[in-house]
Protein backbone atom coordinates (compact mmCIF):
# COMPACT_ATOMS: atom_id res chain seq x y z
CA UNK A 1 0.00 0.00 0.00
CA UNK A 2 1.32 3.44 -0.92
CA UNK A 3 2.06 5.98 1.74
CA UNK A 4 0.24 9.29 1.44
CA UNK A 5 2.94 11.94 1.64
CA UNK A 6 6.61 12.82 1.98
CA UNK A 7 6.50 12.50 5.78
CA UNK A 8 5.94 8.73 5.64
CA UNK A 9 8.61 6.71 7.44
CA UNK A 10 9.49 4.77 4.28
CA UNK A 11 10.19 7.86 2.19
CA UNK A 12 12.17 9.53 4.97
CA UNK A 13 14.31 6.38 5.33
CA UNK A 14 14.95 6.25 1.58
CA UNK A 15 15.84 9.96 1.53
CA UNK A 16 18.26 9.65 4.46
CA UNK A 17 19.74 6.43 3.08
CA UNK A 18 20.24 8.04 -0.33
CA UNK A 19 21.92 11.05 1.23
CA UNK A 20 24.41 8.95 3.20
CA UNK A 21 25.04 6.44 0.38
CA UNK A 22 25.51 9.09 -2.32
CA UNK A 23 27.88 11.09 -0.13
CA UNK A 24 30.00 8.01 0.48
CA UNK A 25 29.99 7.16 -3.22
CA UNK A 26 30.61 10.77 -4.24
CA UNK A 27 33.73 11.33 -2.15
CA UNK A 28 35.17 8.04 -3.43
CA UNK A 29 34.51 8.90 -7.09
CA UNK A 30 36.23 12.22 -6.51
CA UNK A 31 39.16 11.07 -4.40
CA UNK A 32 40.16 7.73 -5.94
CA UNK A 33 40.84 9.03 -9.49
CA UNK A 34 42.61 12.07 -7.99
CA UNK A 35 44.78 9.77 -5.86
CA UNK A 36 45.62 7.72 -8.95
CA UNK A 37 46.55 10.87 -10.88
CA UNK A 38 48.84 12.10 -8.11
CA UNK A 39 50.50 8.72 -7.62
CA UNK A 40 51.06 7.98 -11.34
CA UNK A 41 51.43 11.54 -12.63
CA UNK A 42 49.76 10.41 -15.86
CA UNK A 43 46.70 12.23 -17.20
CA UNK A 44 46.38 9.53 -19.89
CA UNK A 45 46.07 6.81 -17.23
CA UNK A 46 43.62 9.01 -15.34
CA UNK A 47 41.42 9.45 -18.43
CA UNK A 48 41.52 5.80 -19.48
CA UNK A 49 40.68 4.49 -16.00
CA UNK A 50 37.83 7.00 -15.67
CA UNK A 51 36.36 5.92 -19.02
CA UNK A 52 36.79 2.17 -18.41
CA UNK A 53 35.28 2.43 -14.92
CA UNK A 54 32.14 4.07 -16.31
CA UNK A 55 31.35 1.27 -18.78
CA UNK A 56 29.88 -1.22 -16.25
CA UNK A 57 27.32 1.40 -15.22
CA UNK A 58 25.89 1.44 -18.75
CA UNK A 59 25.99 -2.35 -19.13
CA UNK A 60 24.51 -3.26 -15.74
CA UNK A 61 21.83 -0.60 -15.35
CA UNK A 62 19.30 -2.47 -17.57
CA UNK A 63 20.01 -5.65 -15.58
CA UNK A 64 19.45 -3.59 -12.44
CA UNK A 65 15.98 -2.87 -13.76
CA UNK A 66 15.23 -6.58 -14.07
CA UNK A 67 16.47 -7.20 -10.53
CA UNK A 68 14.42 -4.27 -9.19
CA UNK A 69 11.21 -5.83 -10.56
CA UNK A 70 11.87 -9.42 -9.49
CA UNK A 71 13.64 -9.07 -6.12
CA UNK A 72 12.52 -7.37 -2.94
CA UNK A 73 13.66 -3.76 -3.43
CA UNK A 74 14.57 -3.25 0.21
CA UNK A 75 16.84 -6.30 0.14
CA UNK A 76 18.53 -5.11 -3.05
CA UNK A 77 19.40 -1.73 -1.50
CA UNK A 78 20.57 -3.27 1.77
CA UNK A 79 22.79 -5.87 0.08
CA UNK A 80 24.32 -3.46 -2.44
CA UNK A 81 25.24 -0.84 0.17
CA UNK A 82 26.65 -3.58 2.40
CA UNK A 83 28.63 -4.98 -0.54
CA UNK A 84 30.21 -1.61 -1.32
CA UNK A 85 31.21 -1.24 2.34
CA UNK A 86 32.92 -4.64 2.22
CA UNK A 87 34.71 -3.74 -1.03
CA UNK A 88 36.01 -0.58 0.66
CA UNK A 89 37.36 -2.65 3.56
CA UNK A 90 39.32 -4.75 1.06
CA UNK A 91 40.56 -1.56 -0.62
CA UNK A 92 41.79 -0.25 2.73
CA UNK A 93 43.64 -3.51 3.42
CA UNK A 94 45.13 -3.91 -0.07
CA UNK A 95 46.15 -0.32 -0.77
CA UNK A 96 49.93 -0.15 -0.89
CA UNK A 97 50.24 -3.94 -1.04
CA UNK A 98 49.14 -4.63 -4.63
CA UNK A 99 49.49 -2.82 -7.96
CA UNK A 100 47.73 0.56 -7.56
CA UNK A 101 46.49 0.88 -11.15
CA UNK A 102 44.87 -2.56 -11.20
CA UNK A 103 43.41 -2.16 -7.72
CA UNK A 104 41.77 1.23 -8.32
CA UNK A 105 40.51 0.24 -11.76
CA UNK A 106 38.76 -2.82 -10.30
CA UNK A 107 37.38 -0.86 -7.33
CA UNK A 108 36.02 1.97 -9.51
CA UNK A 109 34.46 -0.55 -11.88
CA UNK A 110 32.76 -2.23 -8.91
CA UNK A 111 31.52 1.14 -7.63
CA UNK A 112 29.96 2.04 -10.97
CA UNK A 113 28.60 -1.50 -11.40
CA UNK A 114 26.79 -1.38 -8.09
CA UNK A 115 25.51 2.12 -8.88
CA UNK A 116 24.04 0.73 -12.12
CA UNK A 117 22.19 -1.94 -10.14
CA UNK A 118 21.21 0.39 -7.28
CA UNK A 119 19.66 3.42 -9.01
CA UNK A 120 16.85 1.59 -10.91
CA UNK A 121 15.81 0.03 -7.59
CA UNK A 122 15.52 3.42 -5.91
CA UNK A 123 13.61 4.93 -8.84
CA UNK A 124 11.26 1.93 -8.94
CA UNK A 125 10.61 2.21 -5.18
CA UNK A 126 9.46 5.85 -5.15
CA UNK A 127 6.12 5.35 -7.00
CA UNK A 128 5.35 2.33 -4.79
CA UNK A 129 5.92 4.27 -1.58
CA UNK A 130 4.27 7.57 -2.54
CA UNK A 131 0.83 8.27 -3.92
CA UNK A 132 0.39 10.12 -7.22
CA UNK A 133 -0.13 13.53 -5.61
CA UNK A 134 3.20 13.32 -3.78
CA UNK A 135 5.20 11.63 -6.54
CA UNK A 136 6.61 14.67 -8.35
CA UNK A 137 7.55 16.29 -5.03
CA UNK A 138 9.23 13.06 -3.94
CA UNK A 139 11.22 12.90 -7.17
CA UNK A 140 12.19 16.52 -6.61
CA UNK A 141 13.51 15.64 -3.15
CA UNK A 142 15.53 12.67 -4.47
CA UNK A 143 16.90 14.81 -7.31
CA UNK A 144 17.87 17.52 -4.82
CA UNK A 145 19.68 14.96 -2.68
CA UNK A 146 21.63 13.77 -5.73
CA UNK A 147 22.50 17.37 -6.70
CA UNK A 148 23.49 18.22 -3.12
CA UNK A 149 25.74 15.18 -3.07
CA UNK A 150 27.32 16.32 -6.34
CA UNK A 151 27.88 19.74 -4.80
CA UNK A 152 29.23 18.69 -1.41
CA UNK A 153 31.10 15.45 -2.21
CA UNK A 154 33.99 17.13 -4.08
CA UNK A 155 34.26 19.74 -1.30
CA UNK A 156 34.30 17.15 1.48
CA UNK A 157 36.49 14.78 -0.53
CA UNK A 158 38.94 17.55 -1.43
CA UNK A 159 39.13 18.71 2.20
CA UNK A 160 39.77 15.22 3.61
CA UNK A 161 42.16 14.23 0.84
CA UNK A 162 44.14 17.47 1.00
CA UNK A 163 44.67 17.30 4.76
CA UNK A 164 44.57 13.62 5.71
CA UNK A 165 45.14 11.65 2.51
CA UNK A 166 43.21 8.75 1.02
CA UNK A 167 42.83 6.43 4.04
CA UNK A 168 40.40 8.61 6.09
CA UNK A 169 38.23 8.98 2.97
CA UNK A 170 37.97 5.20 2.68
CA UNK A 171 37.05 4.94 6.37
CA UNK A 172 34.36 7.63 6.02
CA UNK A 173 32.91 5.86 2.98
CA UNK A 174 32.80 2.52 4.83
CA UNK A 175 30.84 4.14 7.65
CA UNK A 176 28.47 5.77 5.13
CA UNK A 177 27.66 2.52 3.32
CA UNK A 178 27.19 0.46 6.48
CA UNK A 179 24.98 3.15 8.03
CA UNK A 180 22.86 3.41 4.86
CA UNK A 181 22.52 -0.39 4.71
CA UNK A 182 21.41 -0.48 8.37
CA UNK A 183 18.74 2.22 7.86
CA UNK A 184 17.39 0.46 4.78
CA UNK A 185 16.68 -2.65 6.87
CA UNK A 186 13.68 -0.78 8.30
CA UNK A 187 12.11 -0.02 4.90
CA UNK A 188 8.74 -1.58 4.14
CA UNK A 189 8.35 -1.75 0.37
CA UNK A 190 5.56 -4.03 -0.92
CA UNK A 191 6.86 -6.82 -3.13
CA UNK A 192 4.91 -9.27 -5.25
CA UNK A 193 6.97 -12.24 -6.30
CA UNK A 194 6.89 -12.87 -10.05
CA UNK A 195 6.88 -16.40 -11.42
CA UNK A 196 10.20 -17.31 -12.97
CA UNK A 197 10.45 -20.66 -14.67
CA UNK A 198 13.33 -19.70 -16.99
CA UNK A 199 17.05 -19.55 -16.47
CA UNK A 200 18.74 -16.20 -15.83
CA UNK A 201 19.51 -15.32 -19.46
CA UNK A 202 16.04 -16.28 -20.64
CA UNK A 203 14.51 -14.23 -17.84
CA UNK A 204 16.54 -11.14 -18.75
CA UNK A 205 15.71 -11.55 -22.44
CA UNK A 206 12.01 -12.05 -21.72
CA UNK A 207 11.84 -9.09 -19.34
CA UNK A 208 13.55 -6.78 -21.82
CA UNK A 209 11.16 -7.84 -24.56
CA UNK A 210 8.18 -7.08 -22.33
CA UNK A 211 9.48 -3.64 -21.30
CA UNK A 212 10.49 -2.63 -24.84
CA UNK A 213 7.12 -3.76 -26.20
CA UNK A 214 5.42 -1.68 -23.52
CA UNK A 215 7.47 1.43 -24.34
CA UNK A 216 7.33 1.20 -28.12
CA UNK A 217 3.86 -0.23 -28.78
CA UNK A 218 1.65 0.16 -25.70
CA UNK A 219 2.94 3.54 -24.48
CA UNK A 220 4.84 5.18 -27.35
CA UNK A 221 4.56 8.52 -25.55
CA UNK A 222 7.03 7.15 -22.98
CA UNK A 223 9.46 6.29 -25.77
CA UNK A 224 9.19 9.87 -27.03
CA UNK A 225 9.92 11.18 -23.54
CA UNK A 226 12.96 8.95 -23.25
CA UNK A 227 14.19 10.32 -26.58
CA UNK A 228 13.62 13.90 -25.41
CA UNK A 229 15.52 13.21 -22.17
CA UNK A 230 18.36 11.78 -24.27
CA UNK A 231 18.36 14.83 -26.55
CA UNK A 232 18.52 17.06 -23.47
CA UNK A 233 21.60 15.20 -22.25
CA UNK A 234 23.28 14.94 -25.65
CA UNK A 235 22.86 18.50 -26.90
CA UNK A 236 22.34 20.71 -23.83
CA UNK A 237 24.05 19.10 -20.81
CA UNK A 238 26.99 17.93 -22.93
CA UNK A 239 27.42 21.38 -24.43
CA UNK A 240 27.70 22.88 -20.95
CA UNK A 241 30.21 20.28 -19.77
CA UNK A 242 32.46 20.87 -22.79
CA UNK A 243 31.94 24.59 -23.40
CA UNK A 244 32.49 25.83 -19.85
CA UNK A 245 36.09 24.61 -19.30
CA UNK A 246 37.05 25.68 -22.83
CA UNK A 247 35.54 29.15 -22.57
CA UNK A 248 36.68 29.79 -19.00
CA UNK A 249 40.19 28.31 -18.92
CA UNK A 250 41.26 28.61 -22.56
CA UNK A 251 39.37 31.45 -24.24
CA UNK A 252 39.13 33.70 -21.16
CA UNK A 253 42.38 32.35 -19.70
CA UNK A 254 40.96 32.39 -16.18
CA UNK A 255 42.15 30.34 -13.21
CA UNK A 256 41.25 26.76 -12.37
CA UNK A 257 39.66 28.08 -9.19
CA UNK A 258 37.16 30.14 -11.19
CA UNK A 259 36.41 27.09 -13.32
CA UNK A 260 35.86 25.13 -10.10
CA UNK A 261 33.38 27.75 -8.97
CA UNK A 262 31.50 27.35 -12.25
CA UNK A 263 31.17 23.62 -11.60
CA UNK A 264 29.75 24.38 -8.18
CA UNK A 265 27.28 26.75 -9.84
CA UNK A 266 26.16 23.90 -12.14
CA UNK A 267 25.59 21.58 -9.18
CA UNK A 268 23.77 24.33 -7.30
CA UNK A 269 21.52 24.87 -10.34
CA UNK A 270 20.59 21.19 -10.25
CA UNK A 271 19.85 21.48 -6.53
CA UNK A 272 17.62 24.53 -7.05
CA UNK A 273 15.83 22.77 -9.91
CA UNK A 274 15.04 19.81 -7.67
CA UNK A 275 13.81 22.05 -4.85
CA UNK A 276 11.75 24.15 -7.29
CA UNK A 277 10.07 21.03 -8.65
CA UNK A 278 9.29 19.80 -5.15
CA UNK A 279 7.79 23.15 -4.14
CA UNK A 280 5.66 23.56 -7.27
CA UNK A 281 4.58 19.92 -7.27
CA UNK A 282 1.18 19.48 -8.95
CA UNK A 283 1.34 22.95 -10.53
CA UNK A 284 3.78 21.55 -13.07
CA UNK A 285 1.94 19.90 -15.97
CA UNK A 286 3.56 17.65 -18.54
CA UNK A 287 1.28 19.19 -21.16
CA UNK A 288 3.02 22.54 -20.57
CA UNK A 289 6.58 21.23 -20.57
CA UNK A 290 7.21 22.91 -23.93
CA UNK A 291 7.20 26.21 -22.04
CA UNK A 292 10.12 25.03 -19.93
CA UNK A 293 12.01 24.06 -23.09
CA UNK A 294 11.29 27.53 -24.44
CA UNK A 295 12.66 29.11 -21.24
CA UNK A 296 15.65 26.77 -21.51
CA UNK A 297 16.25 28.06 -25.04
CA UNK A 298 16.24 31.65 -23.83
CA UNK A 299 18.60 30.93 -20.91
CA UNK A 300 21.18 29.52 -23.36
CA UNK A 301 21.48 32.87 -25.14
CA UNK A 302 23.90 34.53 -22.63
CA UNK A 303 26.38 31.65 -23.11
CA UNK A 304 26.06 32.14 -26.86
CA UNK A 305 26.96 35.83 -26.68
CA UNK A 306 29.65 35.42 -23.98
CA UNK A 307 32.43 34.68 -26.56
CA UNK A 308 31.71 38.10 -28.09
CA UNK A 309 32.99 39.71 -24.87
CA UNK A 310 36.24 37.82 -24.40
CA UNK A 311 38.10 41.10 -23.91
CA UNK A 312 35.82 41.89 -20.98
CA UNK A 313 36.54 38.84 -18.87
CA UNK A 314 34.32 39.68 -15.91
CA UNK A 315 31.27 40.25 -18.11
CA UNK A 316 31.85 37.11 -20.17
CA UNK A 317 32.43 34.93 -17.09
CA UNK A 318 29.34 36.34 -15.38
CA UNK A 319 27.19 35.63 -18.45
CA UNK A 320 28.46 32.04 -18.58
CA UNK A 321 27.92 31.08 -14.94
CA UNK A 322 24.55 32.84 -14.59
CA UNK A 323 23.26 31.21 -17.74
CA UNK A 324 24.66 27.80 -16.73
CA UNK A 325 22.87 28.05 -13.38
CA UNK A 326 19.53 28.76 -15.06
CA UNK A 327 19.99 26.07 -17.71
CA UNK A 328 20.81 23.43 -15.11
CA UNK A 329 17.84 24.39 -12.91
CA UNK A 330 15.38 24.26 -15.82
CA UNK A 331 16.88 21.06 -17.26
CA UNK A 332 16.56 19.35 -13.86
CA UNK A 333 12.91 20.39 -13.59
CA UNK A 334 12.22 18.99 -17.08
CA UNK A 335 13.98 15.71 -16.26
CA UNK A 336 12.00 15.22 -13.04
CA UNK A 337 8.71 15.83 -14.87
CA UNK A 338 9.59 13.22 -17.50
CA UNK A 339 10.67 10.79 -14.78
CA UNK A 340 7.46 11.28 -12.79
CA UNK A 341 5.18 10.81 -15.79
CA UNK A 342 6.95 7.58 -16.77
CA UNK A 343 6.59 6.29 -13.19
CA UNK A 344 2.88 7.14 -13.16
CA UNK A 345 2.18 5.40 -16.46
CA UNK A 346 4.21 2.23 -15.93
CA UNK A 347 2.78 -0.89 -14.21
CA UNK A 348 4.62 -1.80 -10.97
CA UNK A 349 5.63 -5.20 -12.38
CA UNK A 350 7.90 -3.64 -15.04
CA UNK A 351 8.70 -0.21 -13.63
CA UNK A 352 12.28 -1.14 -12.70
CA UNK A 353 13.10 -2.21 -16.25
CA UNK A 354 11.45 0.84 -17.83
CA UNK A 355 13.24 3.22 -15.47
CA UNK A 356 16.53 1.44 -16.16
CA UNK A 357 16.08 1.87 -19.92
CA UNK A 358 15.28 5.57 -19.45
CA UNK A 359 18.35 6.13 -17.26
CA UNK A 360 20.62 4.09 -19.54
CA UNK A 361 19.63 5.93 -22.72
CA UNK A 362 19.99 9.31 -21.00
CA UNK A 363 23.41 8.39 -19.63
CA UNK A 364 24.65 7.01 -22.98
CA UNK A 365 23.55 10.16 -24.78
CA UNK A 366 25.83 12.41 -22.73
CA UNK A 367 29.25 10.99 -23.74
CA UNK A 368 28.11 10.93 -27.38
CA UNK A 369 27.28 14.63 -27.12
CA UNK A 370 30.57 15.34 -25.35
CA UNK A 371 32.53 13.77 -28.20
CA UNK A 372 30.60 15.78 -30.82
CA UNK A 373 31.04 19.08 -28.99
CA UNK A 374 34.65 18.28 -28.18
CA UNK A 375 35.44 17.85 -31.88
CA UNK A 376 33.42 20.96 -32.77
CA UNK A 377 35.25 23.20 -30.28
CA UNK A 378 38.59 21.71 -31.36
CA UNK A 379 38.18 22.44 -35.08
CA UNK A 380 35.98 25.54 -34.97
CA UNK A 381 38.17 27.78 -32.83
CA UNK A 382 36.75 31.30 -32.86
CA UNK A 383 33.28 30.03 -33.75
CA UNK A 384 32.15 29.14 -30.23
CA UNK A 385 28.98 31.23 -30.53
CA UNK A 386 28.01 29.30 -33.65
CA UNK A 387 28.42 25.98 -31.85
CA UNK A 388 26.32 27.14 -28.91
CA UNK A 389 23.74 28.52 -31.35
CA UNK A 390 23.33 24.95 -32.61
CA UNK A 391 22.31 23.88 -29.08
CA UNK A 392 19.84 26.78 -28.95
CA UNK A 393 18.26 25.68 -32.24
CA UNK A 394 17.97 22.10 -30.98
CA UNK A 395 16.29 23.33 -27.79
CA UNK A 396 13.86 25.46 -29.79
CA UNK A 397 12.97 22.55 -32.09
CA UNK A 398 12.37 20.32 -29.04
CA UNK A 399 10.09 23.00 -27.58
CA UNK A 400 7.87 22.93 -30.66
CA UNK A 401 8.01 19.13 -30.80
CA UNK A 402 6.95 18.69 -27.15
CA UNK A 403 4.11 21.19 -27.63
CA UNK A 404 2.84 19.12 -30.53
CA UNK A 405 3.30 15.72 -28.85
CA UNK A 406 2.51 16.33 -25.17
CA UNK A 407 -0.01 19.20 -25.08
CA UNK A 408 -2.97 16.77 -24.99
CA UNK A 409 -1.67 14.78 -21.98
Amino acid sequence: MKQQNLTSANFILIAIGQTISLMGNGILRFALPLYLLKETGSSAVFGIVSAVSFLPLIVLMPIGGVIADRVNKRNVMVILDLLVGIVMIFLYLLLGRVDLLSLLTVVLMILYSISGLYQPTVQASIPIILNEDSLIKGNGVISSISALSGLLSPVLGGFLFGIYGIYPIIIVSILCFFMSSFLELFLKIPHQKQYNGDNLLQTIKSDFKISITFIVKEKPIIFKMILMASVLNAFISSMLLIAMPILITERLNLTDQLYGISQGVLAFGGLVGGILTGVLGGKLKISKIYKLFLILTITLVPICIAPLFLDTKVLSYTLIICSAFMVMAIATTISIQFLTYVQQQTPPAIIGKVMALLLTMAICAQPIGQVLYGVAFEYLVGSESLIIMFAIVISLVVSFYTKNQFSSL
Side-chain angles (χ1 to χ4, degrees):
M1 180 181 294
K2 293 183 181 179
Q3 303 290 339
Q4 294 301 305
N5 52 53
L6 303 184
T7 61
S8 66
N10 273 336
F11 183 76
I12 291 173
L13 282 172
I14 279 193
I16 295 174
Q18 275 283 280
T19 302
I20 297 171
S21 181
L22 288 175
M23 285 298 295
N25 210 308
I27 61 174
L28 284 173
R29 290 186 186 182
F30 172 83
L32 292 182
L34 182 60
Y35 179 70
L36 179 64
L37 179 62
K38 288 186 174 295
E39 290 296 311
T40 63
S42 172
S43 58
V45 169
F46 173 78
I48 291 171
V49 170
S50 297
V52 170
S53 302
F54 188 73
L55 291 177
L57 175 69
I58 298 173
V59 174
L60 290 179
M61 189 167 280
I63 297 176
V66 174
I67 293 173
D69 288 333
R70 290 190 172 271
V71 181
N72 187 294
K73 296 173 180 59
R74 183 206 66 176
N75 295 345
V76 172
M77 287 187 274
V78 169
I79 291 171
L80 291 179
D81 271 331
L82 187 62
L83 181 59
V84 182
I86 294 171
V87 170
M88 289 306 106
I89 291 176
F90 277 103
L91 173 62
Y92 186 91
L93 296 174
L94 294 175
L95 201 60
R97 294 180 172 84
V98 299
D99 178 66
L100 178 65
L101 177 59
S102 301
L103 176 63
L104 292 190
T105 301
V106 170
V107 168
L108 285 168
M109 289 180 72
I110 292 174
L111 278 177
Y112 279 103
S113 298
I114 291 176
S115 180
L117 299 173
Y118 189 91
Q119 289 308 313
T121 304
V122 174
Q123 295 298 339
S125 299
I126 302 302
I128 295 176
I129 291 173
L130 297 176
N131 63 14
E132 190 169 323
D133 292 337
S134 301
L135 188 54
I136 192 168
K137 292 183 179 181
N139 282 323
V141 171
I142 297 300
S143 176
S144 296
I145 289 171
S146 179
L148 185 63
S149 172
L151 184 64
L152 296 181
S153 294
V155 176
L156 179 59
F159 175 78
L160 290 174
F161 184 78
I163 297 178
Y164 302 107
I166 193 66
Y167 286 100
I169 288 179
I170 299 174
I171 293 173
V172 169
S173 72
I174 292 171
L175 294 175
C176 285
F177 292 120
F178 282 161
M179 188 182 302
S180 178
S181 180
F182 174 75
L183 289 174
E184 288 159 353
L185 283 171
F186 298 96
L187 285 171
K188 296 179 181 178
I189 305 175
H191 172 67
Q192 185 174 359
K193 188 173 182 180
Q194 300 181 36
Y195 172 74
N196 182 14
D198 300 324
N199 61 41
L200 179 61
L201 291 178
Q202 289 174 329
T203 298
I204 293 174
K205 181 179 178 181
S206 174
D207 280 7
F208 274 127
K209 184 178 180 180
I210 291 171
S211 57
I212 291 173
T213 299
F214 173 78
I215 292 172
V216 176
K217 294 184 178 180
E218 295 181 35
K219 286 284 185 179
I221 193 69
I222 291 181
F223 180 66
K224 293 174 183 178
M225 287 186 179
I226 293 175
L227 286 180
M228 291 303 99
S230 300
V231 168
L232 187 66
N233 260 11
F235 294 104
I236 309 300
S237 299
S238 296
M239 185 277 292
L240 280 180
L241 292 174
I242 299 298
M244 290 182 70
I246 291 174
L247 292 176
I248 292 171
T249 63
E250 294 185 14
R251 304 297 186 263
L252 292 173
N253 198 28
L254 296 175
T255 64
D256 291 339
Q257 286 78 9
L258 287 175
Y259 169 61
I261 291 173
S262 73
Q263 296 305 290
V265 168
L266 274 179
F268 187 60
L271 175 61
V272 170
I275 294 173
L276 182 66
T277 308
V279 170
L280 294 176
K283 295 179 181 179
L284 294 171
K285 304 296 182 182
I286 199 73
S287 60
K288 304 296 182 182
I289 203 166
Y290 72 92
K291 293 183 178 180
L292 287 178
F293 272 107
L294 192 58
I295 296 172
L296 182 67
T297 304
I298 296 170
T299 57
L300 285 168
V301 173
I303 299 181
C304 184
I305 65 175
L308 303 177
F309 299 97
L310 293 179
D311 292 334
T312 312
K313 293 185 178 183
V314 174
L315 176 59
S316 186
Y317 180 75
T318 302
L319 287 171
I320 291 170
I321 62 170
C322 290
S323 179
F325 170 81
M326 291 298 298
V327 169
M328 198 64 186
I330 299 300
T332 300
T333 303
I334 292 172
S335 297
I336 294 172
Q337 282 191 266
F338 278 154
L339 182 71
T340 302
Y341 184 84
V342 172
Q343 289 174 332
Q344 290 171 334
Q345 298 297 312
T346 305
I350 62 170
I351 193 169
K353 294 180 284 292
V354 172
M355 294 308 303
L357 288 173
L358 187 157
L359 295 171
T360 302
M361 286 187 65
I363 289 172
C364 289
Q366 188 163 300
I368 293 172
Q370 288 175 313
V371 171
L372 292 175
Y373 280 114
V375 172
F377 280 108
E378 175 76 19
Y379 289 99
L380 296 175
V381 177
S383 300
E384 292 84 6
S385 292
L386 184 63
I387 298 170
I388 299 167
M389 180 60 71
F390 173 73
I392 292 175
V393 172
I394 292 292
S395 182
L396 188 61
V397 169
V398 170
S399 178
F400 286 115
Y401 178 82
T402 51
K403 181 179 182 181
N404 179 56
Q405 296 292 322
F406 305 149
S407 59
S408 61
L409 296 178

